[in-house]
Amino acid sequence: MSSKLTSSQQKTICSQLGRVKLQLLYKASIHGFTGAAFHQRCDTHSPTVSVGYNASGYVFGGYTQQPFSQSGQYVHDDQAFLFTFDEEKLLKYPVTTPANAVKMISNSGPYFGEALVLAHGGKAIVYSNPGQHYTFTAAEMHGNDLNLTECEVYEVEEHTQLERPWRTITWESEKRKELIESIKMYKPTVSSVSQVRVLLIGPVGAGKSSFFNSINSVFRGHVTSQAIAGCSTTSLTTQFRTYSLKAGREGKPLPIIFCDTMGLEESTGAGLDIDDISSILKGHLPDRYQFNPSAPLHSEVHSYRKSPALKDKIHCVAYVTDSCKVSIMPKKLEEKLDAIRRKVNLMGIPQLVLLTRVDEACPLVTEDVRNVYQSVYIKEMVQEVSARLGVPVSCVVPVKNYSEELELDQNCDILLLSAVNQMLRFADNYFDEISDRFSNTETKE
């Protein structure tokens, strides 16, 4: 069913209504110029735009937020308006009596007050009575040509897809290869550090361990699961773990280590202790340290690093957040994350946010992960996470972890590898800061 409204006319109408698109519900030349056909296709849908066309070339109609019905009653709508096109320009006639904006008549098409009716009594005619709840001139509206050649009704839908991506990303196999090579060849700018250490922090079940497993899968060439991951209300990670990655089964270690922690929990004395985070950031914690939520790490613990080197410290922090739960994040959890963020800021460590499960959060991305940067919903999620966690929008990176797949997907890989690439860039900033500080100290001496 093709639309008679041109794309330019649709854009002009939509510009009056916000970030929306028009979905064609009813076309009289196909479904019939009867009240029954109109109501069968259009009742209960809202908001709607109804459009009439005549042989004189006029395109005109009305908008209402109220769903059509056959009640026989007037319905109130203070946002309703009639319109006509003067070439590409839209002339708009707002409702003057909102209580009588639309009338629900069973034997006619769209019925705006007593001013304009498209298709009436089963005939392809316009009923027009200017001044009855809308003010316009008949000559301007439809040129006094009251015979319809077509009548259409569109539902106004929120536009979930942007015309242009809000971030540029290349979805090609060459890009995947380029990212893999760039990560393999990366060398920290500080000679004493051979591997960047990235700390993954986030609520229970947000996908920290799954993120490591997903990156590991990309470099192994098949979906694999090394870190314990799954669904649970309490953290499945109970130890501090450092995971090194290899380029292939027998390959060299990659220049990045992921440090996995216990999940954050709302209640006090549960999940990762904020004081333990300081010890992790400063490089005191040994691999496989067993967390104790009720008592933070003590410096007398066996294998505690009392004088950690730069290579033992954390060089970048990644907060892992489930995009399906952003808007319902508990206040106490938000406060915990805020306290951690302030600690990390004081230490000058760069931070970014991994927004996981974007495919579950948005149907557009479920359909194709390449839509992630054209999804209005994901963009709004990124902005909300940025505001809630106090990090710039440019530091929020959407990803899709491997969870139920058995085979790798090129587009998922590109999103995951882009996130790792961003971590390495952030770590470079951290090393540059340290080098600058060091050279300034030497200069003063």
Side-chain angles (χ1 to χ4, degrees):
M1 190 163 66
S2 59
S3 162
K4 194 170 170 64
L5 262 187
T6 67
S7 58
S8 168
Q9 288 168 333
Q10 288 191 43
K11 276 183 187 173
T12 304
I13 292 170
C14 290
S15 69
Q16 301 289 320
L17 306 173
R19 199 167 52 207
V20 296
K21 63 178 178 177
L22 301 181
Q23 184 67 39
L24 187 57
L25 295 174
Y26 162 77
K27 192 176 179 81
S29 60
I30 293 175
H31 303 116
F33 284 88
T34 65
F38 157 70
H39 283 291
Q40 185 189 353
R41 303 281 305 181
C42 302
D43 280 5
T44 73
H45 291 273
S46 66
T48 53
V49 171
S50 303
V51 191
Y53 306 81
N54 63 24
S56 306
Y58 285 82
V59 179
F60 54 98
Y63 164 81
T64 175
Q65 288 188 329
Q66 297 295 337
F68 291 111
S69 72
Q70 299 176 59
S71 67
Q73 307 295 312
Y74 279 112
V75 292
H76 183 281
D77 186 354
D78 58 4
Q79 297 299 306
F81 62 85
L82 299 181
F83 64 86
T84 189
F85 277 95
D86 179 6
E87 294 181 350
E88 291 301 303
K89 189 181 167 194
L90 188 83
L91 304 179
K92 193 172 159 185
Y93 314 102
V95 64
T96 53
T97 319
N100 301 90
V102 186
K103 199 170 186 181
M104 303 303 178
I105 301 293
S106 59
N107 71 336
S108 76
Y111 200 117
F112 291 89
E114 297 293 342
L116 183 74
V117 183
L118 301 175
H120 188 60
K123 294 177 183 170
I125 56 168
V126 176
Y127 176 78
S128 178
N129 190 4
Q132 292 296 303
H133 315 307
Y134 296 86
T135 304
F136 60 93
T137 61
E140 187 178 62
M141 169 81 82
H142 43 63
N144 287 311
D145 179 350
L146 300 179
N147 293 306
L148 286 173
T149 56
E150 184 63 277
C151 174
E152 294 177 328
V153 178
Y154 297 81
E155 185 167 17
V156 178
E157 294 181 344
E158 268 195 61
H159 208 327
T160 56
Q161 188 166 5
L162 298 165
E163 279 184 40
R164 291 188 185 86
W166 51 277
R167 266 186 199 156
T168 309
I169 193 161
T170 309
W171 303 103
E172 286 169 11
S173 57
E174 277 308 308
K175 181 64 179 176
R176 182 183 178 277
K177 282 181 199 163
E178 183 191 307
L179 285 164
I180 284 176
E181 281 311 305
S182 147
I183 292 164
K184 278 186 189 174
M185 302 304 290
Y186 171 84
K187 278 188 180 150
T189 52
V190 176
S191 57
S192 64
V193 178
S194 60
Q195 290 174 298
V196 165
R197 288 168 77 89
V198 177
L199 176 63
L200 303 174
I201 295 178
V204 171
K208 299 187 309 301
S209 304
S210 296
F211 176 73
F212 163 76
N213 287 335
S214 299
I215 300 297
N216 198 23
S217 299
V218 177
F219 283 97
R220 283 295 176 101
H222 59 87
V223 175
T224 184
S225 182
Q226 184 180 337
I228 298 167
C231 304
S232 177
T233 51
T234 56
S235 183
L236 290 169
T237 307
T238 59
Q239 294 181 325
F240 174 66
R241 289 302 319 269
T242 57
Y243 292 107
S244 198
L245 295 152
K246 281 184 183 171
R249 196 174 169 191
E250 304 294 331
K252 287 183 190 170
L254 292 169
I256 188 163
I257 289 175
F258 288 108
C259 303
D260 196 8
T261 58
M262 247 188 127
L264 288 176
E265 295 184 40
E266 281 178 75
S267 47
T268 313
L272 184 63
D273 189 283
I274 291 180
D275 290 326
D276 278 348
I277 288 174
S278 287
S279 301
I280 297 169
L281 295 171
K282 291 171 184 171
H284 294 300
L285 246 64
D287 184 30
R288 297 186 185 270
Y289 165 73
Q290 185 71 40
F291 289 111
N292 179 357
S294 57
L297 175 73
H298 198 270
S299 60
E300 300 310 313
V301 165
H302 173 65
S303 72
Y304 177 90
R305 287 194 201 100
K306 292 197 174 175
S307 306
L310 180 59
K311 68 180 179 63
D312 303 315
K313 295 181 180 181
I314 297 299
H315 312 127
C316 176
V317 170
Y319 300 102
V320 185
T321 308
D322 182 346
S323 54
C324 302
K325 294 178 181 172
V326 170
S327 47
I328 54 166
M329 189 186 287
K331 190 75 188 152
K332 282 185 178 173
L333 199 55
E334 205 174 315
E335 285 166 3
K336 268 191 180 181
L337 281 165
D338 189 51
I340 293 165
R341 185 182 56 79
R342 279 186 272 116
K343 270 190 186 212
V344 177
N345 269 347
L346 283 171
M347 295 173 75
I349 301 168
Q351 308 169 67
L352 57 79
V353 179
L354 296 173
L355 195 60
T356 61
R357 297 199 176 99
V358 287
D359 57 317
E360 291 175 40
C362 174
L364 202 63
V365 186
T366 309
E367 196 180 292
D368 190 339
V369 80
R370 289 174 297 183
N371 290 330
V372 67
Y373 289 124
Q374 278 184 276
S375 162
V376 169
Y377 183 73
I378 297 298
K379 187 177 184 185
E380 286 169 353
M381 280 294 100
V382 166
Q383 289 166 336
E384 189 177 345
V385 166
S386 161
R388 277 174 174 259
L389 301 187
V391 297
V393 166
S394 59
C395 296
V396 184
V397 186
V399 291
K400 176 192 175 333
N401 290 334
Y402 286 112
S403 56
E404 56 188 22
E405 298 82 359
L406 295 176
E407 299 298 329
L408 296 177
D409 174 84
Q410 176 182 297
N411 299 320
C412 282
D413 288 359
I414 288 170
L415 267 189
L416 290 159
L417 292 165
S418 299
V420 174
N421 205 39
Q422 202 64 6
M423 290 169 183
L424 296 177
R425 286 175 179 171
F426 279 28
D428 272 348
N429 296 343
Y430 174 69
F431 296 135
D432 289 347
E433 276 287 312
I434 284 175
S435 299
D436 289 349
R437 250 183 279 158
F438 185 67
S439 56
N440 286 341
T441 309
E442 280 192 332
T443 310
K444 283 175 187 172
E445 287 172 357

